[in-house]
Amino acid sequence: MNPYLDDDLVALGEQARRFAAQRIAPGFQERDRTRVLDRGLMKEMGTMGFIAPELPEQFGGLGMGCLAAGVIHEEIARADLSMSYINLLASLNGQILQHHGRPDIVKPWLTRLTQGEALLALALTEPRGGSDAANLRLQAERAGDGYILNGEKTSISAADQADAAVVFGRTGTPESGAHGVTALLVPMDLPGITRSRFDCHGQRAVGRGSLFFENVRVPASHRLGEENKGFVQVMQGFDFSRALIGLQVLAVARVALEETWTYVAERQAFGRPLSAFQGVSHPLAGFDTHVEAARLLCLQALWLKDKGAPHGAEAAMCKWWAPKLAYDAVHECLLMFGHGGYDRGAMEQRLRDVLGFQIGDGTAQIMKTIIARARAGRAAVPA
Ligand SMILES: Cc1cc2nc3c(=O)[nH]c(=O)nc-3n(C[C@H](O)[C@H](O)[C@H](O)COP(=O)(O)OP(=O)(O)OC[C@H]3O[C@@H](n4cnc5c(N)ncnc54)[C@H](O)[C@@H]3O)c2cc1C
């Protein structure tokens, strides 16, 4: 129980937990080996209404709040963080398409997205850097009733598995910065697109890779937002995904802590349970406290979003704090299992899985700059 989740949301979370425990958890480690997101399970998630439930019904959603997306998201992540990318990418891209796309173009994509029939990636990062995102160079040249794309996006989650991507390209001069960027919905089967797959440390079922564009023609009807306004308009969706990422990694820390509490209460050393030693139980109690507090912050950010209140700083707090905390908590849990924790298994996979979010979707330094700007003012905190 907490002030953000009413009985309906608690019941929704319990339903998602039962589904995830029965259908998603059993393949957690196998998918790390095969490196494939299970499309059959994705379809089941869609049928259950678990993908982007916050979208309006006319786009295939359930018209629920962002907190509903959050409680489902953490239950899927608890079973397999990689599979919960389906929720994350659908909620992030779904919001962008809903608010900035042409309804006749985005509606079929949003319907497939919520039904678990399509996976959308988000392509912002380029080889020359991700933190200075507004400085991107992928060329999007206006040609008649379309745009011609040339260049590379890199480190894109689900790059080789996605059916389409929201791609940010430069339509202005290189000096135009954030004010010369246009966002486009790009189906991945367009001629001129090739893709690669990296060998990732964690999150291996979703994976990352590069997208290469060579004279790719995208109809102007697929533009998201106005020309040259892609960065300013579309980037606002990231406040949503940052709170979701917080819940995603904290769910992994929570299940790790639960398993570890059980283990240290049973495992004996020096004639007593491990938990009898304060050197074991106090660090776990500390992480348990911080994970609980960070989860409440993430729920608060989503609650603020549902209320239409500003939540950019809170979302940035979720995004830098939760991944670091989750990594440290799972690390502590792994050590409590002694040599067994070091074997290939659920705990070491969790550690690999959560690490990626200290980088992906913006690093801690960038998040702290966002918080500092919210507090001290943008002029006082230049890039
Ligand atoms: C698991 C994972 C998933 C990802 N998924 C996607 C995706 O789906 N789509 C996508 O577009 N990208 C994705 N990325 C890329 C990610 O967004 C970038 O890696 C990230 O924004 C950082 O960019 P960079 O790697 O180029 O590092 P750089 O920008 O080169 O930064 C390197 C280091 O310098 C620090 N730094 C940079 N500028 C400053 C500054 N002003 N002040 C202080 N420190 C600074 C950074 O914090 C970082 O530690 C993903 C990355 C990972 C690891």
Side-chain angles (χ1 to χ4, degrees):
M1 293 282 286
N2 65 59
Y4 303 110
L5 303 182
D6 61 17
D7 289 347
D8 288 346
L9 287 171
V10 170
L12 181 65
E14 285 168 356
Q15 189 196 8
R17 181 172 295 205
R18 280 193 300 278
F19 170 82
Q22 285 166 14
R23 302 292 301 135
I24 294 182
F28 169 53
Q29 290 172 250
E30 179 60 13
R31 285 186 292 271
D32 187 64
R33 278 188 287 276
T34 59
R35 303 203 299 154
V36 178
L37 278 178
D38 188 324
R39 289 273 175 151
L41 284 178
M42 186 166 102
K43 177 83 187 111
E44 285 183 44
M45 287 163 63
T47 305
M48 298 286 290
F50 287 161
I51 302 177
E54 71 282 4
L55 286 174
E57 288 179 27
Q58 81 253 33
F59 291 130
L62 300 174
M64 302 177 90
C66 295
L67 276 166
V71 297
I72 293 168
H73 190 52
E74 59 183 352
E75 296 303 342
I76 306 294
R78 180 184 163 92
D80 182 348
L81 183 133
S82 270
M83 283 298 288
S84 67
Y85 254 96
I86 292 167
N87 306 81
L88 180 70
L89 290 171
S91 284
L92 173 59
N93 288 309
Q95 180 177 258
I96 292 171
L97 265 56
Q98 179 204 344
H99 290 301
H100 304 292
R102 230 177 72 176
D104 59 321
I105 301 296
V106 299
K107 189 172 174 182
W109 279 105
L110 287 170
T111 306
R112 288 176 63 202
L113 194 76
T114 48
Q115 288 176 356
E117 291 170 353
L119 186 67
L120 264 65
L122 187 128
L124 181 62
T125 304
E126 298 188 356
R128 64 196 302 278
S131 300
D132 188 8
N135 203 5
L136 59 87
R137 294 294 165 89
L138 182 112
Q139 216 179 64
E141 193 186 335
R142 186 77 201 228
D145 62 349
Y147 295 87
I148 308 288
L149 302 189
N150 278 291
E152 178 185 348
K153 293 289 180 185
T154 198
S155 194
I156 309 306
S157 298
D160 68 337
Q161 301 190 70
D163 302 292
V166 172
V167 178
F168 293 81
R170 179 147 307 279
T171 35
T173 61
E175 299 74 39
S176 56
H179 302 285
V181 172
T182 301
L184 296 163
L185 173 63
V186 183
M188 286 293 102
D189 57 0
L190 290 183
I193 298 177
T194 49
R195 316 193 240 181
S196 71
R197 177 80 175 252
F198 303 163
D199 188 8
C200 293
H201 178 64
Q203 307 182 0
R204 289 174 66 80
V206 62
R208 290 174 307 125
S210 284
L211 301 174
F212 303 94
F213 300 86
E214 196 179 341
N215 293 321
V216 177
R217 185 174 188 91
V218 183
S221 58
H222 284 51
R223 196 179 63 221
L224 301 166
E226 295 163 52
E227 189 166 286
N228 291 328
K229 300 268 175 67
F231 204 79
V232 182
Q233 292 175 339
V234 176
M235 289 288 281
Q236 283 160 9
F238 281 80
D239 288 343
F240 186 18
S241 61
R242 284 172 186 155
L244 289 177
I245 287 169
L247 290 176
Q248 193 174 9
V249 292
L250 292 170
V252 177
R254 175 54 62 200
V255 68
L257 282 164
E258 286 170 9
E259 287 177 10
T260 308
W261 280 121
T262 303
Y263 180 76
V264 298
E266 286 169 358
R267 174 93 169 175
Q268 302 270 323
F270 303 95
R272 308 161 80 188
L274 289 175
S275 54
F277 302 104
Q278 291 185 355
V280 169
S281 56
H282 284 193
L284 291 178
F287 280 117
D288 214 303
T289 308
H290 292 165
V291 166
E292 191 65 24
R295 178 175 184 248
L296 289 173
L297 176 67
C298 297
L299 293 176
Q300 188 186 359
L302 293 180
W303 178 81
L304 288 167
K305 180 171 169 57
D306 279 339
K307 295 271 175 235
H311 57 285
E314 288 78 4
M317 291 175 194
C318 300
K319 176 59 189 62
W320 83 258
W321 186 26
K324 169 89 174 89
L325 173 61
Y327 185 84
D328 292 346
V330 177
H331 184 197
E332 190 70 39
C333 290
L334 185 151
L335 296 179
M336 294 304 178
F337 280 81
H339 69 88
Y342 189 59
D343 293 341
R344 281 264 181 239
M347 207 58 88
E348 65 81 32
Q349 187 179 328
R350 289 183 188 128
L351 193 66
R352 288 187 283 110
D353 282 349
V354 294
L355 178 60
F357 276 126
Q358 289 190 49
I359 307 166
D361 206 276
T363 62
Q365 290 97 322
I366 300 306
M367 294 305 119
K368 288 176 184 175
T369 298
I370 292 169
I371 297 163
R373 282 178 175 165
R375 296 294 188 251
R378 196 180 175 92
V381 186

